[in-house]
Amino acid sequence: MDASSISIWELQPDAEIPTHAWTRAYRTLPTSTTPKFPYPHATLYGQPENRPLSVRVWLDVDNGYLWTTPQTARGYDPQPDYVTQNKPNYGYDNIANTVVVRHPLTPARRALAEELLETAAPPVADYPVPPEAATVFRRAGWTPDQVREIHTGWTTTTADDARVWTAHSYEWWWQQRFPRTGPYRTVDAADPRRHADLPPTPLTASDAARLLEAGTRFDVIDAYLHAGIVDVEQILNARPPEVPDDATRIIIGDFIALDPAAARAHLSQHPHTWVKPVISETGPQLLHIDETIFSDTWMIWSDGQIIGRSHLILPPEVEDGEPHRTWAPARFTVAGFAITAPLLYEIMHADNRADLTPDLWMPWQDATGLTSTVTHETAQDVAVGPHATIRSETTITRHTIALPAGEATAWEVADTLADRVHGRDTTRWLYTDLDEATARYTEVTEVQPPVATIEQLAELLGVTGNAITQAIRRDRGLARADRETPRRPGFIHRNGRAELFPTRKFIAWWRSRTGHGPGRGHRSNQ
């Protein structure tokens, strides 16, 4: 028997092309049961019009078939599928760019497939697992890369481990979105801001089999592993957090639900939220929601809380109906808060936000007008290169809110650095007392120069430049380890090799570090 028995272009008399409408990826083999011995690396070549195309071969012993998946090269040939008069006919594709053909498994064809395995499959040494496990994978048609993908997330060392995986094809695992890859991230106990990798997890193929047998959802497994939870019993017992029936505000990460049904539906669909705190509160009612400023969604609640950068979870009955941007604002809009929205937005982003209380903004729900006037301003342009400048601006703005009983006043101090490359970076403070605002304004304007090099910062702080450089490197290392940690010193501009930092922010960062103060790096100790 020769290679023509599974030829790409010559359809054998006893072959059959299934006519099912396959909608999954081309890697899915169209059988009602999983083939026991797929051979993805058994490759033959045909040369229609001098274009070599591959064919993949599967041996399905249980059902008595040999399957081939020749490519029709739709991506290479503009003609509209399989073979008609020894030429490609592209109308026969039953998987993208591929025709799946089924042949009765005769003894000769089985022998040919076994021969192909020995000549075309990768050697056992190429597999990243012990030889006994590699042999099982190899006979099942798994490639070393596919095994590596599984082995990185799950410890696979024995033949029994390999049989757990080869009970299904790699394509089946891939389609089911079973968590295959790692290493998964876990918190480093020595420094919670760092993350360490576990290559691989301590979970084994037997653990995977237990999870499959229990019917554990694959997205649940994936969510727990990515959270660093590798206790199989905990994953088996994973359940969505309980939501009380009388809850009126349920905070789930960046999402907020107004009723328990919406919260439970969201939790069920997003298992990654199960491993994080869910805050359920009874009593607070949503008063106002706004999505008009810089595309941020923010809300004001009856208890005075302003919650920004969050998304409202719609009740299930309206999820497929009225759009989010029209459903919520139509039901939760307070005219006074809409008028004072720009000022409320500044409150959310104020540097002294923790010092502000709802007594300041809750009366504004009755506001009828807002007037803003700049009362103090200091500005200067700092040359940072032959053709580059950074503009420094510091202002005090008086905000007057018109209320039925009179007027309310709020004072805003804004410190802005701007350049043509990085745009504007503004820090704000809100006060109800002009004297406090003036004191902050004076403090900010007295810091000179507005931006500084490491050498200038070392002179201002009385430390060595090397001490500053090492502190920045440590902070940026933490920032890379934990994506939620920003580069705190605040790089703003590069002039040649010199980095420039906002002076006031850098000094505040330097003094806020753990263990700051006289010590190593300070000139006073040298």
Side-chain angles (χ1 to χ4, degrees):
M1 187 173 187
D2 58 24
S4 65
S5 298
I6 48 176
S7 169
I8 300 175
W9 304 113
E10 295 182 9
L11 189 63
Q12 299 300 301
D14 57 354
E16 176 188 359
I17 301 177
T19 58
H20 302 76
W22 305 110
T23 58
R24 304 297 296 225
Y26 70 89
R27 291 190 287 178
T28 305
L29 199 64
T31 61
S32 57
T33 59
T34 304
K36 300 301 181 182
F37 301 98
Y39 290 84
H41 270 267
T43 302
L44 302 176
Y45 293 92
Q47 294 183 336
E49 302 178 8
N50 297 318
R51 293 190 182 94
L53 301 174
S54 66
V55 59
R56 298 170 68 190
V57 182
W58 281 266
L59 183 63
D60 185 358
V61 176
D62 285 359
N63 295 288
Y65 291 108
L66 182 143
W67 296 82
T68 61
T69 58
Q71 295 176 338
T72 58
R74 173 179 291 169
Y76 303 96
D77 195 318
Q79 298 181 16
D81 277 294
Y82 192 63
V83 179
T84 301
Q85 296 180 350
N86 211 33
K87 292 182 179 180
N89 173 12
Y90 297 99
Y92 275 96
D93 276 7
N94 48 15
I95 295 180
N97 297 345
T98 306
V99 177
V100 173
V101 184
R102 183 170 67 187
H103 312 260
L105 184 59
T106 63
R109 284 174 176 152
R110 179 167 183 173
L112 176 61
E114 294 284 357
E115 181 182 349
L116 286 171
L117 172 66
E118 294 306 317
T119 58
V124 169
D126 287 357
Y127 289 80
V129 292
E132 57 271 23
T135 301
V136 175
F137 280 117
R138 184 175 183 269
R139 287 199 58 81
W142 285 54
T143 68
D145 285 343
Q146 292 170 347
V147 175
R148 189 172 291 108
E149 200 174 342
I150 289 286
H151 180 61
T152 305
W154 304 79
T155 301
T156 303
T157 55
T158 67
D160 288 339
D161 289 339
R163 292 187 186 99
V164 170
W165 302 116
T166 57
H168 302 282
S169 67
Y170 171 83
E171 288 74 18
W172 183 88
W173 292 101
W174 183 86
Q175 270 201 346
Q176 300 299 322
R177 303 184 67 85
F178 188 82
R180 305 175 303 281
T181 59
Y184 296 104
R185 204 171 61 164
T186 182
V187 174
D188 185 349
D191 188 338
R193 292 195 297 172
R194 287 188 181 275
H195 287 87
D197 291 335
L198 293 177
T201 70
L203 295 173
T204 66
S206 299
D207 295 326
R210 286 186 63 195
L211 293 168
L212 285 175
E213 185 178 352
T216 307
R217 286 166 44 185
F218 291 168
D219 56 346
V220 173
I221 300 172
D222 191 59
Y224 274 65
L225 295 184
H226 275 90
I229 299 173
V230 292
D231 184 342
V232 177
E233 296 300 327
Q234 190 172 350
I235 300 175
L236 284 169
N237 296 316
R239 300 292 184 274
E242 294 290 335
V243 178
D245 292 334
D246 58 350
T248 59
R249 180 171 65 198
I250 305 101
I251 302 176
I252 309 171
D254 293 333
F255 291 83
I256 300 179
L258 305 180
D259 67 86
R264 291 171 186 142
H266 182 85
L267 287 167
S268 176
Q269 296 170 11
H270 302 90
H272 68 275
T273 61
W274 302 3
V275 296
K276 299 178 181 179
V278 174
I279 303 173
S280 298
E281 300 169 291
T282 301
Q285 300 292 326
L286 179 60
L287 298 180
H288 181 82
I289 185 169
D290 193 294
E291 297 176 324
T292 60
I293 300 180
F294 302 113
S295 299
D296 269 0
T297 298
W298 53 275
M299 313 171 191
I300 300 182
W301 294 75
S302 58
D303 60 353
Q305 279 206 45
I306 303 179
I307 302 177
R309 295 184 178 177
S310 56
H311 306 277
L312 188 65
I313 302 172
L314 299 184
E317 63 269 17
V318 300
E319 189 66 50
D320 297 325
E322 202 172 349
H324 177 270
R325 285 189 171 272
T326 59
W327 183 87
R331 289 158 178 79
F332 306 102
T333 298
V334 176
F337 288 147
I339 292 172
T340 56
L343 186 53
L344 290 165
Y345 184 83
E346 303 301 349
I347 287 176
M348 279 192 302
H349 297 85
D351 204 57
N352 62 333
R353 172 68 179 84
D355 300 328
L356 304 176
T357 64
D359 294 340
L360 171 62
W361 59 82
M362 287 304 285
W364 299 351
Q365 58 188 304
D366 300 320
T368 58
L370 172 65
T371 303
S372 301
T373 306
V374 176
T375 61
H376 300 70
E377 182 176 12
T378 299
Q380 60 177 308
D381 291 320
V382 182
V384 294
H387 307 288
T389 61
I390 292 178
R391 182 150 182 97
S392 172
E393 298 177 354
T394 308
T395 61
I396 297 181
T397 303
R398 180 180 63 200
H399 300 285
T400 303
I401 303 96
L403 300 171
E407 293 182 345
T409 303
W411 301 89
E412 175 189 355
V413 180
D415 179 33
T416 301
L417 290 174
D419 71 356
R420 302 175 70 178
V421 176
H422 298 85
R424 299 173 65 86
D425 178 27
T426 301
T427 305
R428 294 179 173 86
W429 299 264
L430 267 294
Y431 300 96
T432 57
D433 183 76
L434 176 58
D435 291 340
E436 293 182 20
T438 302
R440 173 65 68 178
Y441 177 82
T442 302
E443 176 187 336
V444 171
T445 55
E446 286 181 348
V447 177
Q448 293 294 329
V451 293
T453 63
I454 288 179
E455 291 74 17
Q456 291 172 316
L457 290 168
E459 187 67 30
L460 288 170
L461 293 168
V463 299
T464 63
N466 185 55
I468 291 181
T469 300
Q470 291 182 5
I472 293 173
R473 287 175 179 171
R474 283 194 297 269
D475 190 79
R476 290 180 176 173
L478 293 176
R480 285 191 294 269
D482 184 350
R483 296 178 183 178
E484 297 179 0
T485 303
R487 296 196 312 183
R488 294 183 181 178
F491 164 78
I492 189 172
H493 193 87
R494 183 179 293 276
N495 178 20
R497 285 189 162 185
E499 288 185 333
L500 294 171
F501 298 89
T503 308
R504 181 191 55 77
K505 282 189 174 183
F506 191 96
I507 293 175
W509 167 80
W510 179 265
R511 292 172 177 168
S512 68
R513 296 175 306 119
T514 303
H516 76 276
R520 189 174 64 177
H522 286 251
R523 292 197 179 103
S524 58
N525 288 348
Q526 293 184 4

